């Protein structure tokens, strides 16, 4: 009996070690902590696949558990006043310093857009709450965290339109004055899908002739910026990396546009481009915009173009029109639309499928004359900056946060 218990215990430990272990590059810090963290994400993903296959629940509905586990009720503390409001019908969480401002009484402001692949995440998650408070206290700034509506309940362009409405509303003289914000010191920022929305709204505002108050800066943290080529070197190199494997990123993209699984299958094969969208592939040609060091052993091959009508191209009802839209894929804007954009901070991570999106955008912005600070983390992985809460707190997250806040302090 005792021997049997020992055998069962050893078998259980062996199975657990086998399940948790992943071939994570040695350069990544705190590898075992990342393996343990990612085992939870993988388990949830397997459960989501199972529930969807059985017709019990949609994949993203199950994955939303990640959001619920981190969700809090933001409350004021001795340094920060927190209120929940609606700006032009969109929910926002507003963080303001309690102490008085400087000589002029006007403060900086950061409009922050959370990540989560447009399907998950919330401004009310504890990592975003902590980040907002840090920005408020260290910059004496107002932080506006936007609770935009999520896919798949609200496909593109709804999340973008929510963000656009909030930014337009906030950038009114009367509204800025109400919160003691300097009209010349407002930035938009976001991580992952939030970085996508931040880049897109920055571009669109610059083109709107009636927009009197402009953004001073944009800070994009490992942003996702294009849906045309999902086999860049970073998508290939990092296809099985923790937190955001290629399969999950492709699923986020497809769910952003449609609930029709045909698009997911086409995007997985990188054969989702229509004749219309293929004309924009020149803007995401990584052989032209990616420094040689990031090409690695990969050779450029233009994505296949599906023939047929817009709807037939990807087996869906016309989403190819959407992923060719710069509001969804900011990397697709022509060079002429880049030169007037605000200064940019772009954070990228080596072990991230989205690495090349950020690097290509930094290359194109610089070529257009935009002031760019590109901070690349050789040991970084996707989502790292948000891992600041125990037990999934990582040292690299602290460094990323400190460098990001310092850039805001120096450039806003």
């Amino acid at each position: 009996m005792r021997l049997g218990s020992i055998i069962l215990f050893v078998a259980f430990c062996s199975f657990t070690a086998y399940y948790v272990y992943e071939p994570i590059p040695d350069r990544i810090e705190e590898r075992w902590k990342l393996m343990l963290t990612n085992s939870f994400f993988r388990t949830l993903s397997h459960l989501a696949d199972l529930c969807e296959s059985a017709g019990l629940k949609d994949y993203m509905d199950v994955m939303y558990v990640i959001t619920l586990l981190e969700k809090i009720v933001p409350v004021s503390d001795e340094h920060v006043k927190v209120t929940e409001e609606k700006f032009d019908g969109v929910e926002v969480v507003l963080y303001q310093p309690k102490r008085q401002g400087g000589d002029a009484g006007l403060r900086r402001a950061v409009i922050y857009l959370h990540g989560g692949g447009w399907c998950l995440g919330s401004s009310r998650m504890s990592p975003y709450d902590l980040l907002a408070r840090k920005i408020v206290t260290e910059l004496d700034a107002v932080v506006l965290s936007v609770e935009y509506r999520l896919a798949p309940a609200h496909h593109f362009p709804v999340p973008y339109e929510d963000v656009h409405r909030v930014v337009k509303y906030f950038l009114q003289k009367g509204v800025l004055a109400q919160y003691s914000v300097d009209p010349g010191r407002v930035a938009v920022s976001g991580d992952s899908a939030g970085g996508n929305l931040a880049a897109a709204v920055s571009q669109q505002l610059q083109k709107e002739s009636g927009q009197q108050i402009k953004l001073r800066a944009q800070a994009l943290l490992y942003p996702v910026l294009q849906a045309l080529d999902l086999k860049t070197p970073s998508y290939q190199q990092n296809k099985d990396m923790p937190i955001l494997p290629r399969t999950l990123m492709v699923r986020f993209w497809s769910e952003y546009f449609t609930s029709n699984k045909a698009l997911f299958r086409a995007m997985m094969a990188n054969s989702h481009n229509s004749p219309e969208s293929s004309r924009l592939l020149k803007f995401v040609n990584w052989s032209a915009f990616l420094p040689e060091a990031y090409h690695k052993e990969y050779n450029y091959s233009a994505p296949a173009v599906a023939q047929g009508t817009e709807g037939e191209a990807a087996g869906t009802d016309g989403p190819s029109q959407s992923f060719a839209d710069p509001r969804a894929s900011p990397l697709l804007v022509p060079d002429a639309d880049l030169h007037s954009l605000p200064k940019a901070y772009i954070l990228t991570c080596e072990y991230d499928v989205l690495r090349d999106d950020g690097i290509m955008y930094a290359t194109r912005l610089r070529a257009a004359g935009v002031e760019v600070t590109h901070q690349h983390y050789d040991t970084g992985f996707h989502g790292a900056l948000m891992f600041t809460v125990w037990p999934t707190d990582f040292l690299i997250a602290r460094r990323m946060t400190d460098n990001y806040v310092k850039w805001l302090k120096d450039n806003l």
Side-chain angles (χ1 to χ4, degrees):
M1 185 71 179
R2 199 168 164 189
L3 178 62
S5 298
I6 292 173
I7 292 173
L8 283 174
F9 177 74
V10 171
F12 174 77
C13 291
S14 300
F15 175 76
T16 302
Y18 176 79
Y19 184 78
V20 170
Y21 179 78
E22 294 180 81
I24 294 175
D26 291 338
R27 295 175 68 193
I28 293 180
E29 303 170 31
E30 302 176 285
R31 292 171 64 243
W32 278 101
K33 184 185 284 189
L34 182 57
M35 287 181 203
L36 287 167
T37 301
N38 195 55
S39 65
F40 166 75
F41 286 91
R42 282 192 293 122
T43 301
L44 190 62
S45 181
H46 293 329
L47 178 62
D49 277 326
L50 183 63
C51 288
E52 187 168 78
S53 298
L56 300 175
K57 215 165 182 58
D58 288 338
Y59 179 90
M60 289 302 172
D61 287 341
V62 178
M63 293 298 290
Y64 195 74
V65 167
I66 297 169
T67 304
L68 296 176
L69 289 174
E70 294 265 29
K71 215 162 188 182
I72 60 165
V73 177
V75 295
S76 300
D77 59 31
E78 58 179 321
H79 302 296
V80 183
K81 176 185 176 183
V82 183
T83 56
E84 298 187 42
E85 304 182 26
K86 282 195 175 183
F87 281 11
D88 197 13
V90 180
E91 292 182 20
V92 299
V93 182
L94 193 67
Y95 297 81
Q96 301 175 75
K98 280 190 173 179
R99 63 189 176 90
Q100 294 298 314
D103 295 337
L106 295 180
R107 296 185 167 99
R108 295 174 273 204
V110 177
I111 303 167
Y112 197 89
L113 313 172
H114 69 80
W118 309 280
C119 301
L120 311 175
S122 168
S123 59
R124 298 182 178 95
M125 291 173 69
S126 56
Y128 293 115
D129 179 71
L130 289 173
L131 180 60
R133 292 174 193 275
K134 184 177 179 69
I135 294 172
V136 169
T137 54
E138 295 199 16
L139 272 67
D140 188 36
V142 173
V143 174
L144 180 66
S145 199
V146 184
E147 190 75 354
Y148 56 87
R149 287 173 290 176
L150 300 175
H154 305 282
H155 295 301
F156 174 82
V158 173
Y160 166 80
E161 289 174 341
D162 281 356
V163 169
H164 184 259
R165 292 213 315 273
V166 167
V167 176
K168 289 275 288 183
Y169 180 88
F170 189 61
L171 292 181
Q172 298 179 87
K173 289 182 180 178
V175 176
L176 293 175
Q178 180 183 345
Y179 298 105
S180 300
V181 171
D182 185 337
R185 305 178 77 187
V186 181
V188 66
S189 182
D191 62 295
S192 194
N196 167 284
L197 295 168
V201 78
S202 295
Q203 292 176 356
Q204 297 304 312
L205 285 177
Q206 289 300 110
K207 295 195 296 185
E208 294 174 7
S209 58
Q211 183 62 41
Q212 295 182 343
I213 300 174
K214 303 291 186 180
L215 293 166
R216 174 76 172 269
Q218 54 180 322
L220 317 177
L221 314 175
Y222 33 78
V224 49
L225 297 169
Q226 59 86 25
L228 267 59
D229 188 355
L230 304 180
K231 281 196 174 178
T232 62
S234 60
Y235 266 105
Q236 296 181 68
Q237 172 189 304
N238 301 310
K239 62 185 178 69
D240 296 317
M241 276 295 127
I243 311 303
L244 188 68
R246 180 177 183 270
T247 303
L248 181 57
M249 187 61 241
V250 172
R251 190 184 283 267
F252 280 142
W253 266 125
S254 66
E255 295 276 4
Y256 190 31
F257 298 129
T258 178
S259 295
N260 189 327
K261 301 302 184 234
L263 179 60
F264 171 69
R265 293 190 291 271
M267 293 183 103
M268 281 298 294
N270 211 33
S271 60
H272 55 289
N273 282 286
S274 67
E276 180 192 55
S277 66
S278 68
R279 291 192 288 270
L280 300 173
L281 285 170
K282 60 184 178 181
F283 295 123
V284 296
N285 183 340
W286 58 262
S287 67
F289 299 118
L290 203 60
E292 190 74 30
Y294 296 101
H295 289 197
K296 305 292 175 73
E297 69 271 23
Y298 306 104
N299 296 311
Y300 180 74
S301 177
V305 179
Q307 300 302 316
T309 65
E310 286 296 332
E312 292 168 348
T316 59
D317 188 19
S320 56
Q321 294 178 357
S322 297
F323 54 71
D325 189 326
R327 296 175 302 166
S329 297
L331 198 51
L332 302 184
V333 296
D335 294 341
D337 291 344
L338 295 176
H339 70 89
S340 62
L341 290 177
K343 68 174 72 174
Y345 175 85
I346 300 177
L347 183 159
T348 56
C349 296
E350 179 64 24
Y351 302 107
D352 180 6
V353 293
L354 303 179
R355 179 197 69 196
D356 296 345
D357 283 20
I359 295 174
M360 286 193 286
Y361 197 44
T363 300
R364 291 193 60 207
L365 286 174
R366 280 180 179 143
V370 176
E371 182 183 337
V372 178
T373 299
H374 174 213
Q375 193 145 41
H376 182 71
Y377 288 85
D378 290 331
T379 61
F381 55 91
H382 189 82
L385 189 138
M386 290 298 108
F387 288 101
T388 55
V389 180
W390 187 89
T392 58
D393 50 328
F394 286 79
L395 295 174
I396 194 170
R398 305 293 178 184
R399 295 201 303 276
M400 285 182 174
T401 302
D402 290 343
N403 291 334
Y404 163 59
V405 173
K406 183 180 184 303
W407 185 88
L408 289 174
K409 186 180 294 186
D410 294 342
N411 291 273
L412 186 57

